[in-house]
Amino acid sequence: MASNFRIFMHRNSDSLHLKLAGDFDGTSPFELVDMVNKNGPGLRKVFIHTSNLKTIHPFGLQVFEKSLSDLKNSSFQLLFTGEYAQQIAPVEGMCL
């Protein structure tokens, strides 16, 4: 994991907000998916806010796309927001 990568979490009644900060590298997706798996069950929406990322490494994107299979059977909707949402979201319709 990049030494400056962080995930800040805020949860309300039916949604989870994860604010990503720092560099999104090859190990960052594992931390993100793990946090979603631990905190997402029972929620309607999980928002991933991307505006505080500094860099997005191509390898990190590849790992993220592969690791999303762990979330395929989830009951919540995954939504990406912010400056880098288009770049990180695996499907265009997942961006706000």
Side-chain angles (χ1 to χ4, degrees):
M1 176 178 73
S3 62
N4 68 346
F5 181 73
R6 301 283 183 267
I7 301 174
F8 301 95
M9 182 178 76
H10 170 74
R11 185 175 179 159
N12 56 24
S13 61
D14 66 347
S15 62
L16 176 68
H17 295 263
L18 301 175
K19 183 169 126 180
L20 309 182
D23 296 323
F24 194 79
D25 67 357
T27 58
S28 303
F30 295 114
E31 185 177 346
L32 176 57
V33 170
D34 184 55
M35 186 170 276
V36 170
N37 277 329
K38 286 180 181 175
N39 297 287
L43 299 174
R44 289 185 50 227
K45 295 181 182 180
V46 174
F47 295 91
I48 298 177
H49 304 283
T50 64
S51 291
N52 287 8
L53 288 171
K54 292 186 180 191
T55 59
I56 300 171
H57 298 277
F59 183 63
L61 289 176
Q62 291 173 350
V63 171
F64 185 56
E65 286 179 20
K66 290 178 182 175
S67 63
L68 281 175
S69 63
D70 293 342
L71 301 176
K72 281 189 178 177
N73 296 326
S74 301
S75 60
F76 51 80
Q77 182 180 16
L78 193 61
L79 298 164
F80 294 80
T81 69
E83 185 176 346
Y84 300 104
Q86 298 282 340
Q87 190 175 353
I88 290 181
V91 178
E92 193 170 314
M94 297 175 97
C95 296
L96 296 177

